[in-house]
């Protein structure tokens, strides 16, 4: 079957099998930023945005993206670069494996809830596992990305 969707602003027309997951479809067409972790909807590293909202690509059937808009790190590189700078400043980029998923969650939060509270930030981070930190550094970095210098 064929699935049509917008990926980072570019139309895609891709042959898929009915049971394919978006993570595999994106990797098959050369998207390198999306990471493969647990593949059981538990770690968040495979996060992409569908119509601006975070989704787990390891558990989203590729057929479900027909007519939808998918965004990966490559599509919002300037914003991700700003987030990465804050991660660096706050010591939130250690091994970095979790960062692309968390950065997309932070970008989605900025677009959907620019006046987010710390509780909103923690909600946005829920489902994103980080083996290296206690999450405080990510919360502080995202708070600064959202414009709060404290
Ligand atoms: S790889 Fe998708 S949630 Fe872990
Ligand atoms: S920085 Fe290593 S898993 Fe988060």
């Amino acid at each position: 079957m064929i699935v049509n969707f917008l990926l980072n602003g570019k139309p895609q027309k891709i042959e898929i099998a009915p049971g394919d997951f978006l993570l595999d479809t994106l990797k098959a067409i050369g998207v390198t930023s999306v990471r493969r972790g647990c593949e059981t909807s538990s770690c968040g590293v495979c996060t992409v945005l569908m119509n601006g909202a975070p989704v787990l690509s390891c558990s989203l059937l590729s057929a479900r993206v027909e007519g939808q808009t998918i965004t990966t790190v490559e599509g919002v590189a300037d914003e991700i670069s700003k987030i990465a700078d804050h991660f660096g400043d706050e010591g939130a980029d250690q091994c970095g494996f979790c960062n692309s998923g968390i950065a997309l969650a932070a970008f989605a939060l900025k677009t959907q809830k620019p006046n987010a509270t710390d509780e909103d930030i923690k909600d946005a981070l829920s489902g994103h596992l980080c083996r290296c930190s206690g999450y405080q550094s990510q919360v502080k970095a995202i708070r600064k990305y959202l414009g709060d210098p404290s």
Side-chain angles (χ1 to χ4, degrees):
M1 64 188 290
I2 299 288
V3 66
N4 299 278
F5 61 102
L6 270 186
L7 174 62
N8 298 327
K10 294 189 184 139
Q12 306 290 323
K13 186 181 184 84
I14 299 171
E15 174 89 40
I16 59 164
D20 284 353
F21 288 105
L22 184 60
L23 173 61
D24 299 305
T25 299
L26 292 176
K27 287 205 166 289
I29 60 173
V31 178
T32 56
S33 68
V34 186
R35 299 203 166 127
R36 187 186 301 279
C38 65
E39 296 187 84
T40 60
S41 308
S42 304
C43 74
V45 300
C46 65
T47 296
V48 300
L49 305 182
M50 183 160 80
N51 306 327
V55 293
L56 299 174
S57 65
C58 74
S59 54
L60 182 69
L61 287 171
S62 300
R64 295 272 310 279
V65 305
E66 175 65 33
Q68 309 301 313
T69 296
I70 299 296
T71 304
T72 66
V73 161
E74 289 87 346
V76 284
D78 288 350
E79 287 297 309
I80 299 300
S81 172
K82 290 180 202 167
I83 298 167
D85 286 345
H86 289 300
F87 280 178
D89 290 346
E90 297 301 329
D93 60 347
Q94 295 184 40
C95 83
F97 192 65
C98 64
N99 281 359
S100 58
I102 290 178
L104 281 174
F107 171 70
L109 188 62
K110 187 177 187 181
T111 58
Q112 295 175 340
K113 209 168 197 176
N115 298 317
T117 64
D118 276 10
E119 284 311 304
D120 294 322
I121 295 171
K122 288 174 188 169
D123 278 352
L125 290 181
S126 68
H128 291 269
L129 297 186
C130 177
R131 298 287 186 190
C132 306
S133 77
Y135 299 99
Q136 283 309 310
S137 52
Q138 281 99 338
V139 171
K140 283 170 80 177
I142 293 170
R143 191 192 293 145
K144 288 188 176 170
Y145 169 62
L146 296 177
D148 180 348
S150 63

